Amino acid sequence: MDAAVALLDEEGMDRLTMRRLAERLQAGATTLYWHVATKDDVVDLAVDAIFGETAVPDRHGASPRDDVTTLLDGWRRALLRHPWAASVPARQRPLLGPNFLAWMEFLQSALERAGLSGTRLNAATWVLYNHVMGSTAVQSNLQLSADEAEAGRAYLAERRDQYPTVAANNYIADDDWDANFATGLEFLLDGIGARPAG
């Protein structure tokens, strides 16, 4: 799967074809179909390989909250190395590869240790998953130049009466992605109660 990940990193999802992957592997497309049936299969395997880049701890620490934070930080870093992967969840089928499932098992067992179960555990899982995917997709795709950021500030300054809160908080130019991700994660974990028992 290294070849598929490299091709996706270099050229993106739109350029991935079975023929291009076969060329990179110096194999015929027919040979490739002996191993994978469709392009979707290739993408699934490539995404699962990305999950494998971040080692899942072999055991939980003392704090479920710390476990969740460490896991999500590692996943975010892996996705930022492969920005195309943030668009994959919009596809039609769930990820069920062994690396993803090991990651999901660790996440859900940490949340369970924090006192969540059933639909509340699943809701917490989805909100954390969406935080990583959404923040990574935005960071990978929204790259304003200094001129664009300045134009945005000027636009809001002219409309300060209409959008006073947005203008006052410098929304357009706030590109501290790491701090925004960490603070957002704190908000989420506070809200879902992923804290050590006691």
Side-chain angles (χ1 to χ4, degrees), residues 60 64 68 105-118 121:
H60 288 287
V68 169
E105 176 64 26
F106 188 87
L107 174 62
Q108 287 208 324
S109 61
L111 292 170
E112 189 175 63
R113 288 176 54 238
L116 298 172
S117 62
L121 184 144

Side-chain angles (χ1 to χ4, degrees), residues 22-105:
E23 288 170 1
R24 184 169 287 241
L25 292 168
Q26 298 179 337
T30 304
T31 303
L32 190 57
Y33 282 111
W34 281 97
H35 302 283
V36 289
T38 67
K39 175 181 165 178
D40 285 341
D41 293 336
V42 172
V43 172
D44 286 347
L45 292 168
V47 171
D48 196 61
I50 290 171
F51 275 95
E53 290 180 10
T54 302
V56 175
D58 56 0
R59 65 178 191 267
H60 288 287
S63 165
R65 186 181 183 115
D66 290 346
D67 285 346
V68 169
T69 299
T70 299
L71 190 70
L72 296 184
D73 283 341
W75 181 29
R76 176 176 172 260
R77 284 193 300 277
L79 286 176
L80 289 172
R81 289 191 298 271
H82 310 284
W84 57 269
S87 69
V88 170
R91 296 179 334 114
Q92 297 297 315
R93 57 193 196 179
L95 298 172
L96 294 174
N99 293 318
F100 173 77
L101 290 175
W103 180 90
M104 185 60 70
E105 176 64 26

Side-chain angles (χ1 to χ4, degrees), residues 134-176:
S135 65
T136 305
V138 171
Q139 181 176 348
S140 298
N141 292 296
L142 182 62
Q143 301 292 327
L144 297 180
S145 68
D147 288 343
E148 289 168 330
E150 183 53 42
R153 281 192 293 271
Y155 181 86
L156 286 174
E158 291 171 6
R159 292 157 180 80
R160 182 175 297 277
D161 291 343
Q162 191 174 0
Y163 310 109
T165 309
V166 176
N169 287 287
N170 201 22
Y171 168 73
I172 295 295
D174 185 1
D175 62 356
D176 189 345

